Amino acid sequence: MSTPKRYTITAALPYTNGPIHIGHLAGVYVPADIYARYLRKRGEDVVFVCGSDEHGVPITIKAKKEGITPQDVVDKYDGIIRKSFQDFGIAFDNYSRTSSEIHHQTASDFFQKLYDEDKFIEEVTQQLYDEEAQQFLADRFVVGTCPKCGFEESYGDQCEKCGTSHNATDLINPKSAITGATPILKETRHWFLPLDQYEPFLKEWILKEHKKDWKSNVYGQCKSWIDDGLRARAVTRDLDWGIPVPVEGGEGKVLYVWFDAPIGYISATKQWAEREGKNWESYWKDEDTKLVHFIGKDNIVFHCIIFPVMLKAHGDYVLPDNVPANEFLNLEGNKLSTSKNWAVWLHEYLEDFPGKEDVLRYVLTANAPETKDNDFTWKDFQQRNNSELVAIFGNFINRVVVLTNKYYDGKVPSPSALTDIDEQTLAELKAYPAVIASSIEKYRFREAQAELMNVARLGNKYLADEEPWKTFKTDKERTETVMYIALQIASALATLSEPFLPFTSEKLKKMLNLDEADYSWEDISTEKVLLEKNHQIGKAELLFAKVEDEEIQKQLDKLEATKKANATETAEVVPQKELIEFDDFTKLDLRVGTIIEAEKMPKAKKLLVLKVDTGIDKRTIVSGIAEHFKPEDIIGKKVSVVANLKPIKLRGTLSEGMILMTENADGKLVFVNPDENGVTSGTVIS
């Protein structure tokens, strides 16, 4: 679509069983916000919607674990998520909730229309049933072995390891997530969306029409799904948390969450339209509307195949023009995990880095996983802040504003005749809006932001080449011209940075005394002057501050603590050995000893030869701890010794006992430690 009249932009509905982390921001919400802000800056008619996804089994699981109601869960996290978005400047036109009345009605009406037009298949099928819990098991209440990759903890609807979607009945060795029992198959009635009947439509619409304009990662996943052959998919579930199935026979059943959630985009638009006095249907049913879904790669199948089939079956709606899904963002080389707390939570980030919202937005965009998984590291965060935002963008603005106040009391000077360098610099400046726009419109936000930084680089190079701090003493007219042009670049940055760095843009506009509506995107290319001569600007303020090593170390320490906690929690416990009699235990002579000498055994990587004072005698013990301890570090160490172990020769050295060891969460050997004051060598351990 070349010239749409309006844009409907959706961002994946965050699931309200936990807060938002950097992976969500990088994968979905920052790119969507950049796109929406850019279009608004161009004067386009835009509605940008999102909302909390509040139905489904994980909500009920969390509620059961915490002993609260599902409504308590979604109310709590809706508030946290909503505030995180506000704090980071994600400028939704409407942020709704799937628990709202308008959504329940919209989803029910959607289902009812498809039901009335016989677009569903009604079947009695066998579903997994937990006899102990006396309930049918929805997909996330079942865990088993993935039939495709063999991952043993796959959910009933999707394998988190290989990404394959499947039915719960496809799992090998399924177990109930409620009781741990092996479920049985039991008959139940449900309605299915016959995806297979829409294969010809999908092949034409996606594989032919969108082969060149959809991202390769999105197109490739869609093609794989279609080539494998589609199957009918249930749109209802046996649950009590969700939107009740609004037809006869639907008692005790709700709409499957994947069916009701994308309809949340429509109900959120309705809610916005009612509030703003708009016609919501124009944004969903008019062919001149461009619909764009921003999602993560785990949602590709729902937004590119299932939801479009729903819209096609309904018949009244436009189809998405593009679905620019991102891949996953990792953290310090490991996959982000909510359950393992391996994440940078947005609300915690702002506690540690107040006022640095744009720094995180910038780094996440610079590292955006647009076509492949990418990695966030705290060292890179520090480097990009200090070497790019501070040293390039912030440095240019600071020099321009400081010098303007110093030389001209904050008033834009009058230019004289422009040199070739001046003309070339202004020409380059005027070209940047189109360059940045082209990248944004192709959903290449990393590339677009890099071009924004090139505008700041243009300004820095111009100042460095023209050296107004030197010419001010020798050529007043030339200095005025140079500062005038530098101020035009600064003004352009205030507008061009808005989609990427909204807080910085706002601060810069105040510094330059610009009205919010002073310039549109096109004005930078078409207006001869952005800041008129004699325009009064404000005083200089630092746009960005350096991030110090101590701040980064604090974050790394926090992650290290998380890693250790996870290792402890997931450490495999060795099964208990066979029971012994008390008399067997009393045969062991366990004593406290002190290591008085230690050296490596020649030509042995793992062995140390120790001289141990057992209180009875001083004896040699050979111990396989050389990879974990240096000999000089353990002299004087009190240890637990099996004193009556039959001596054995190891590499020619007689070992007369054994030192008791165990492993910590990191797999490092540690002494079973009697190292307390008052415990002497020879003390019996009982």
Side-chain angles (χ1 to χ4, degrees), residues 62-117:
K62 194 170 190 73
K64 283 178 183 289
K65 284 182 178 177
E66 296 184 9
I68 57 178
T69 68
Q71 192 65 51
D72 292 333
V73 173
V74 298
D75 286 346
K76 173 184 176 180
Y77 289 111
D78 173 75
I80 292 172
I81 291 169
R82 200 176 285 260
K83 186 175 187 306
S84 290
F85 285 144
Q86 291 170 352
D87 288 343
F88 281 88
I90 309 300
F92 299 121
D93 290 296
N94 193 45
Y95 187 83
S96 189
R97 303 179 66 171
T98 60
S99 61
S100 66
E101 184 179 343
I102 194 169
H103 175 70
H104 274 238
Q105 190 62 53
T106 301
S108 294
D109 291 345
F110 198 108
F111 179 92
Q112 186 75 54
K113 184 175 189 295
L114 269 58
Y115 176 85
D116 291 342
E117 296 178 359

Side-chain angles (χ1 to χ4, degrees), residues 598-616:
E599 62 181 13
K600 285 189 175 181
M601 177 175 279
K603 299 181 181 180
K605 184 179 179 182
K606 296 182 179 181
L607 300 179
L608 288 183
V609 179
L610 310 176
K611 183 73 74 175
V612 180
D613 180 356
T614 66
I616 309 168

Side-chain angles (χ1 to χ4, degrees), residues 208-272:
K208 289 185 179 179
E209 294 179 20
H210 287 296
K211 185 173 184 178
K212 294 183 178 179
D213 64 324
W214 280 17
K215 292 168 69 171
S216 59
N217 58 317
V218 177
Y219 182 86
Q221 192 175 132
C222 291
K223 187 176 187 306
S224 176
W225 263 75
I226 295 168
D227 288 348
D228 284 347
L230 301 174
R231 294 181 295 173
R233 195 172 178 99
V235 299
T236 57
R237 271 292 180 261
D238 292 294
L239 279 175
D240 56 5
W241 176 249
I243 299 172
V245 175
V247 297
E248 187 177 346
E251 298 79 12
K253 304 178 191 296
V254 298
L255 301 183
Y256 199 174
V257 67
W258 67 255
F259 182 87
D260 98 74
I263 297 172
Y265 302 137
I266 300 170
S267 59
T269 308
K270 278 186 178 182
Q271 193 176 55
W272 165 80

Side-chain angles (χ1 to χ4, degrees), residues 13 27 72 75 107 159 178 180 195 228 240 292 295 329 344 391 415 417 442 509 519 532 538 575-576 616 634 643 662:
L13 307 186
D72 292 333
D75 286 346
C159 176
I178 302 173
L195 297 177
D228 284 347
D240 56 5
V292 182
I295 58 169
L329 184 75
V344 178
K442 293 173 184 172
K509 285 173 185 173
Y519 303 116
E532 297 282 354
Q576 178 180 294
I616 309 168
I634 58 174
T662 188

Side-chain angles (χ1 to χ4, degrees), residues 490-669:
S491 178
L493 277 170
T495 294
L496 295 176
S497 65
E498 185 177 329
F500 308 92
L501 308 168
F503 299 96
T504 302
S505 172
E506 183 180 356
K507 196 171 180 180
L508 182 51
K509 285 173 185 173
K510 287 180 180 177
M511 208 184 302
L512 297 177
N513 196 22
L514 292 171
D515 186 84
E516 182 65 30
D518 270 355
Y519 303 116
S520 71
W521 196 268
E522 282 72 17
D523 288 341
I524 298 164
S525 298
T526 58
E527 292 293 321
K528 189 172 182 180
V529 177
L530 297 176
L531 279 183
E532 297 282 354
K533 63 182 181 182
N534 293 322
H535 173 85
Q536 181 71 51
I537 69 170
K539 298 295 183 182
E541 294 180 50
L542 288 180
L543 290 180
F544 306 101
K546 283 188 70 175
V547 173
E548 302 297 340
D549 291 344
E550 307 84 71
E551 297 176 89
I552 296 303
Q553 191 58 50
K554 178 182 175 183
Q555 300 304 317
L556 294 174
D557 290 345
K558 187 187 294 186
L559 289 176
E560 187 62 28
T562 296
K563 189 181 290 186
K564 288 182 177 179
N566 287 335
T568 300
E569 195 171 304
T570 59
E572 290 188 12
V573 178
V574 177
Q576 178 180 294
K577 295 180 181 179
E578 291 182 10
L579 295 175
I580 63 171
E581 299 292 337
F582 180 73
D583 288 344
D584 294 328
F585 173 72
T586 60
K587 291 177 182 178
L588 289 174
D589 189 344
L590 299 176
R591 297 188 181 238
V592 175
T594 303
I595 298 173
I596 55 177
E597 295 178 18
E599 62 181 13
K600 285 189 175 181
M601 177 175 279
K603 299 181 181 180
K605 184 179 179 182
K606 296 182 179 181
L607 300 179
L608 288 183
V609 179
L610 310 176
K611 183 73 74 175
V612 180
D613 180 356
T614 66
I616 309 168
D617 54 22
K618 295 179 176 61
R619 65 178 68 180
T620 299
I621 296 177
V622 179
S623 183
I625 61 175
E627 291 181 309
H628 298 263
F629 301 97
K630 294 178 181 178
E632 61 269 23
D633 291 342
I634 58 174
I635 293 174
K637 184 80 176 172
K638 284 191 171 65
V639 292
S640 300
V641 179
V642 181
N644 64 335
L645 191 65
K646 187 176 181 179
I648 184 173
K649 272 196 175 183
L650 294 171
R651 298 213 170 197
T653 300
L654 190 67
S655 181
E656 302 172 286
M658 178 183 289
I659 293 174
L660 301 185
M661 309 294 294
T662 188
E663 287 186 354
N664 65 13
D666 294 329
K668 179 177 172 57
L669 286 180

